[in-house]
Amino acid sequence: MSEHSFDFVVIGGGSAGYAAARTAHSAGLKVAVVDGAEELGGLCILRGCMPSKTLIESANRQLTIRHAEEFGLKASSQGVNVRTIRDRKRRLIADFAGYRQGQLEDGRFVLYRGFARFTDAKTLEVVPRDGSASFQVTARSFCIATGSEVFAPDVPGLAKAGFWTSDDVLDADALPKKIAVLGGGAIALEMAHYLEAMGCTITMIQRNTQFLTGLDRECSDVILKAFRARGMTVHLGTHLERIGKADGGKEIEFTADGHKHQIHVDEVLLAMGRKPATRGLGLEAAGVSLHKGKVVVNDRMQTTQPHIFAAGDVCSPLDVVHIAIQQAEIGARNAAALIHGKPVEETMDYRMELFGVFSHPQVACVGASEGKLKSEGVPYLTANYPFDDHGKSMVMGETAGFVKMLADAKTGEILGACVVGPEATELIHEVVVAMSFRATVRQFMAIPHYHPTLSEIWTYPAEEIADQL
């Protein structure tokens, strides 16, 4: 078996893997990337962020047409062409993926198209995708960036009955009429928004008693009301009993609020989250530990084997691409420091943890939630303001939701914020910038806001908190 030696080897060529590789190369390291996926690009480009948002843009325009009469316009949807929507997505994603493939193949690092497995803490066995002979790769440091895969719960009959995942929705040229969406996180909400807009009849079945577990319940309440107003059936606090094939479709049995339910749908969309992709990596041979399926890392992105780093969904507390990239860059710079005999000092800071959901209405949050501040015993002040009393959102006809700000009860420093409503994923960045400079609510109020804009809604909770200081 032939052997190849490097300073730094990255397992996985997605957003985190590429970021780790380019950062390590810029630090002067000899770098290789091992990626065994059928297509280069990673989850975000191929099956996550970008394709889903492409489809959602079509859904958003369909909702605009539905409400045309409110604005004095005579317009109605003449139906949807799912194949055209799919083909537009394919064109855009091919462009994005081609650009990433070019970055991986531009000569800065060696790219191996194959599957990697640790045989010890310094050695990988690589099995090429093309079936050629396996070979060894050794390195002074590694970064595990293999991402995540769909989580399938152990529900009786589910595997045999079969199901769709978001991958199937994103590449479908036709859609089933009646769909049950299992889950209540970001993927479930975004897919339900798209599918309902395309004319599907949606039943949502969520295990938790709210959508978006971990966020303050008031965020879920707005989405719940909006989805039900669109005609979706929503069951919260459920327990799945059985899923089976029936009459050319699927039959689902579940309990909710102490009552048994049985529904028949054409297809089941499994959207109950993802799990770290660690199978076959030989982590035990490398001395790398897992906790609840995720690779254990410290704040320097080191695993339990100090020269092996990790980044992205495989280890992250929040599976979003900007955090994955930041983790990868920090891990790569720390690996370079380790190799050069310098202290490994750069750390991840999750103070401004940022999260967004492109449903309708949208949801976005940054920093600490009210629940987290309470659990940590941090003294805080909070205020919110509704979109149904805000001029610009009223003009837009987008009045569902609110903004909420949290600040330190002594200093007034902004500690967190959330927004549910129009353009939430854009609006949140005003608070992100303020928090990056550790701004107080009084400093935030001093920032000019043009009128009338959605953005100026943030000044109301800031002013209310400032008055309490």
Side-chain angles (χ1 to χ4, degrees), residues 166-183:
S166 58
D167 291 358
D168 298 292
V169 176
L170 294 175
D171 211 41
D173 59 6
L175 296 172
K177 181 62 179 175
K178 296 173 64 178
I179 303 175
V181 179
L182 308 184

Side-chain angles (χ1 to χ4, degrees), residues 36 106-107 157 219 240 300 371 385 389 398 421:
D106 64 9
C219 298
L240 289 168
R300 293 163 176 77
Y385 198 86
D389 191 41
E398 296 282 355

Side-chain angles (χ1 to χ4, degrees), residues 234-257:
V234 180
H235 298 279
L236 301 176
T238 68
H239 176 73
L240 289 168
E241 302 285 352
R242 184 188 69 85
I243 297 176
K245 294 182 179 180
D247 301 327
K250 311 287 172 67
E251 188 175 76
I252 306 173
E253 295 179 8
F254 62 96
T255 57
D257 298 323

